[in-house]
């Protein structure tokens, strides 16, 4: 009985985190990006500096009609938002927040995370194919091409961490982490973060949803709550990628002091600092073209990731 | 590699983040306009002689004037009596030619700007409304500068204009260019 209660509390906590953290990141983007553009952002919803803007957006989305295009594949069209959203919920389940504060401490956590993350992108490919819309199809194809290019550096840089830590467990990796990793795994951290951004279609890698060229890419035909799910998936994705970068490269709950008691605080601070960087990059850089995107992946990130992997191997042998 | 350029880009957005944003919270916070802002055209009907110069010079023909000739009392000099003076602000392009051309200082720029309406018809304002905006017209900045000269008696308001009642007592500073006494 105690086990069932424990599992229930853990699942509920992960679900609450899944619903609140993306909203906080979204609000941070609203306000941060606005101020980076010398604007104020939302100021009215909720009274104080528009804190309830995303709640109001959610209510608006819920009221909207669910429209399916005549030529669309109805089943796939309806499933795509769930396929895009659910993997991030599953990944959030295994990301440790503090010592012992983890939904599910999986022995092969890193393997599980990388496998499930790739599924999320399938959601936009499905949406693009099922919409019976040429813009959606173009966006879906771009999305698939981007996934192919950036999955490799993502996995290679994560493999470097796994090799350095000697374990696939995410809590084990945090246990094996030392501040020297910031130096030794620094390149890997940058590669992992950039490749993660590309997986999420975040600017400057937002070519699949480039609204100036192909309207909204795979999400062109979506309305109401299903469109909101895609948006939620994007922000949940930011939380997950920032959380993974924190866990793998920045030491997770390990902070300057009181790791045992304040671990959750250090983790959240690191995650939100990285989320700020995501927003910062979005408001600073223009969108990459298709060829620039592929060149960055194959000619810069993949060789660098391989070099990082070799460096980690050499260090591992030299130290032991 | 283009790393320095990328860092410059990040620095630009960070600088804007730390700076005060330029947004004005208009409906909540009234804007601080320069005192001589050209918001609306106000009418001092007492100064108007129905000479029609403004209506004829108006590029949009948005000034409507009706008047009739009133015989002077006891066989005195007849004068024009203004029956209607209206400006259609849905046509007005705020060029200010009417104000420039008025020889009797009946038209003024007022800084009032919040007079939008739900229907274009409501944007045609009659003389009573045009008169209310007169309160917002700032006093001329010239008066205090010339105060010492006026005290010395070197400068007096145009006696003709005062006599004809064209220059209101409170607004005497806005009179036509004062004549320098010989």
């Amino acid at each position: 009985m105690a086990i069932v209660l424990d599992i229930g509390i853990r699942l509920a906590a992960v679900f609450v985190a899944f619903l609140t953290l993306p909203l906080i990141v979204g609000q941070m983007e609203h306000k941060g990006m606005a101020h980076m553009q010398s604007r104020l952002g939302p100021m009215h919803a909720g009274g104080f500096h528009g804190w309830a803007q995303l709640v109001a957006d959610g209510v608006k989305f819920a009221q909207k009609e669910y429209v399916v295009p005549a030529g669309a594949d109805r089943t796939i069209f309806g499933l795509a938002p769930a396929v895009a959203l659910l993997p991030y919920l599953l990944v959030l389940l295994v990301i440790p927040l503090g010592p012992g504060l983890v939904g599910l401490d999986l022995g092969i956590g890193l393997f599980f995370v990388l496998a499930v993350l790739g599924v999320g992108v399938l959601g936009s490919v499905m949406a693009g194919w099922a919409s019976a819309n040429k813009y959606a199809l173009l966006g879906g194809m771009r999305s698939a091409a981007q996934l192919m290019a950036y999955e490799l550096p993502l996995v290679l840089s994560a493999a470097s961490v796994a090799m350095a830590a000697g374990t696939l467990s995410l809590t084990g990796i945090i246990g094996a982490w030392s501040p020297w990793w910031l130096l030794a795994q620094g390149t890997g951290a940058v590669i992992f973060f950039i490749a993660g951004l590309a997986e999420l279609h975040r600017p400057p890698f937002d070519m699949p949803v480039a609204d100036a060229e192909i309207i909204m890419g795979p999400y062109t035909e979506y309305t109401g709550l299903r469109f909101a799910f895609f948006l939620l998936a994007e922000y949940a994705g930011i939380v997950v990628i920032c959380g993974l970068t924190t866990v793998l490269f920045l030491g997770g709950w390990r902070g300057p002091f009181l790791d045992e008691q304040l671990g959750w605080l250090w983790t959240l601070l690191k995650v939100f600092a990285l989320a700020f960087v995501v927003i910062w990059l979005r408001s600073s850089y223009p969108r990459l073209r298709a060829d620039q995107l592929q060149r960055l992946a194959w000619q810069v990130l993949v060789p660098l990731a391989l070099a990082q992997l070799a460096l980690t191997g050499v260090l591992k042998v030299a130290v032991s | 590699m283009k790393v320095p350029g990328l860092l410059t880009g990040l620095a630009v957005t960070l600088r804007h983040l730390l700076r005060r944003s330029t947004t004005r919270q208009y409906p909540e916070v009234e804007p601080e306009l320069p005192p001589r802002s050209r918001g609306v055209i106000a009418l001092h009907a007492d100064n108007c002689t129905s000479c029609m110069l403004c209506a004829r010079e108006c590029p949009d023909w948005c000034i409507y004037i009706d008047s009739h000739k009133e015989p002077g009392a006891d066989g005195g000099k007849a004068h024009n009596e203004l029956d209607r003076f209206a400006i259609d602000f849905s046509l007005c392009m705020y060029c200010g030619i009417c104000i420039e051309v008025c020889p009797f200082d009946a038209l003024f720029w007022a800084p009032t700007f919040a007079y939008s309406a739900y229907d274009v018809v409501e944007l045609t304002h009659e003389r009573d409304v045009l008169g209310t905006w007169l309160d917002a017209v700032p006093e001329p900045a010239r008066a205090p500068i010339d105060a010492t000269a006026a005290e010395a008696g070197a400068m007096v308001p145009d006696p003709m204009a005062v006599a004809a009642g064209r220059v209101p007592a409170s607004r005497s500073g806005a009179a036509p260019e004062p004549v320098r006494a010989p």
Side-chain angles (χ1 to χ4, degrees):
Chain A
M1 191 60 210
I3 291 175
V4 175
L5 194 67
D6 183 59
I7 291 174
I9 289 174
R10 278 168 195 270
L11 287 184
V14 168
F15 194 66
V16 168
F18 182 68
L19 290 181
T20 52
L21 292 181
L23 291 189
I24 296 172
V25 172
Q27 186 70 13
M28 196 162 103
E29 175 166 75
H30 266 325
K31 298 303 274 186
M33 204 164 85
H35 281 278
M36 284 178 188
Q37 297 167 343
S38 286
R39 298 183 288 117
L40 289 172
M43 289 295 282
H44 287 268
F48 180 74
H49 287 263
W51 66 270
Q53 183 60 47
L54 287 169
V55 179
D57 285 347
V59 172
K60 184 196 77 176
F61 279 128
Q63 288 169 343
K64 289 203 168 182
E65 191 188 353
Y66 172 44
V67 183
V68 184
D73 185 337
R74 292 190 77 93
T75 326
I76 306 292
F77 188 81
L79 269 177
V83 174
L85 187 57
L86 277 181
Y88 296 119
L89 179 59
L90 291 178
V91 173
L92 213 58
L93 202 62
V94 299
I95 294 180
L97 186 63
L101 282 174
V102 55
L104 178 67
D105 192 1
L106 216 56
I108 51 160
L110 186 59
F111 184 75
F112 172 79
V113 160
L114 291 174
V116 173
L117 262 187
V119 177
V121 187
L122 277 185
S124 55
V125 179
M126 281 166 67
W129 183 254
S131 289
N133 176 314
K134 53 178 174 274
Y135 296 113
L137 184 59
L138 275 173
M141 292 300 115
R142 287 182 179 192
S143 188
Q146 198 160 311
L147 169 72
M148 302 276 266
Y150 283 89
E151 192 73 5
L152 193 55
L154 190 83
V155 172
L156 284 177
S157 50
S160 149
V161 173
M163 192 196 284
T167 171
L168 281 174
S169 156
L170 291 179
T171 48
I173 288 172
I174 295 176
W177 186 82
S178 80
W180 287 109
W181 282 27
L182 291 177
L183 209 63
Q185 304 288 342
T187 321
V190 173
I191 292 168
F192 186 85
F193 192 62
I194 291 176
L197 283 186
E199 295 261 304
L200 297 175
H201 309 155
R202 285 294 298 180
F205 306 104
D206 62 337
M207 201 189 58
V209 291
D211 48 359
E213 304 166 26
I214 51 173
I215 312 185
M216 196 64 186
Y219 320 136
T220 304
E221 294 289 355
Y222 279 90
T223 54
L225 218 48
R226 280 181 167 76
F227 181 70
F229 283 156
F230 276 119
L231 285 186
L232 186 60
E234 180 174 341
Y235 290 96
I238 295 175
V239 172
V240 161
I241 289 295
C242 295
L244 282 178
T245 312
T246 302
V247 167
L248 295 182
F249 298 97
L250 302 179
W253 66 68
R254 315 241 317 235
F257 51 84
L258 288 178
D259 290 355
E260 287 295 320
Q261 292 84 9
L262 292 176
W264 57 274
L265 184 65
W266 304 134
T267 308
L268 283 182
L269 276 180
K270 289 172 190 174
V271 167
F272 281 115
L274 284 173
F276 175 77
V277 174
V278 173
I279 295 159
W280 194 7
L281 292 175
R282 174 178 180 181
S283 39
S284 300
Y285 295 144
R287 183 182 304 131
L288 263 71
R289 259 190 343 252
D291 59 317
Q292 293 170 330
L293 239 155
Q294 298 294 337
R295 188 178 305 138
L296 178 66
W298 295 109
Q299 295 190 353
V300 181
L301 294 188
V302 170
L304 277 178
L306 286 171
Q308 171 71 64
L309 203 59
L311 176 72
T312 309
V314 169
L315 282 177
K316 188 83 182 165
V317 172
V319 167
S320 63
Chain B
M1 293 300 281
K2 304 171 182 75
V3 171
L6 292 176
L7 292 180
T8 314
L10 286 178
V12 167
T13 39
L14 193 65
R15 217 163 35 238
H16 278 269
L17 177 73
L18 300 175
R19 212 183 279 161
R20 262 189 102 71
S21 59
T22 52
T23 308
R24 296 283 173 268
Q25 295 279 80
Y26 162 57
E28 285 88 15
V29 183
E30 287 288 319
E32 282 181 25
L33 295 174
R36 296 274 156 193
S37 293
R38 297 178 161 201
V40 75
I41 295 163
L43 171 73
H44 191 276
D46 293 348
N47 280 4
C48 181
T49 62
S50 322
C51 69
M52 301 291 288
L53 278 176
C54 54
R56 275 187 283 176
E57 291 295 331
C58 177
D60 294 341
W61 292 80
C62 68
I63 301 178
Y64 307 104
I65 299 176
D66 287 339
S67 67
H68 68 272
K69 185 153 281 185
E70 190 80 14
D74 305 328
K77 201 180 171 193
H79 67 279
N80 288 331
E81 185 72 25
L82 192 63
D83 292 326
R84 182 190 184 215
F85 192 106
I87 300 178
D88 187 349
F89 284 102
S90 69
L91 291 178
C92 177
M93 58 181 192
Y94 303 90
C95 64
I97 290 176
C98 52
I99 295 160
E100 292 289 319
V101 85
C102 180
F104 305 108
D105 271 7
L107 293 171
F108 299 91
W109 277 119
T112 315
F113 62 91
Y115 52 94
S116 57
Y118 286 104
D119 192 335
V120 270
V121 180
E122 295 167 30
L123 283 171
T124 304
H125 288 296
E126 299 293 334
R127 64 191 279 187
D128 50 336
V129 182
L130 297 177
T132 58
W133 286 324
L134 209 55
D135 301 333
V137 178
E139 288 294 321
R142 198 172 59 212
I145 297 167
D146 290 343
T148 49
E151 273 170 22
M155 242 158 169
V156 287
D158 184 358
M160 295 289 284
V162 176
R166 286 192 228 115
V167 183
S170 66
R171 199 163 293 285
S172 56
E177 200 61 38
V179 181
R180 197 168 283 274

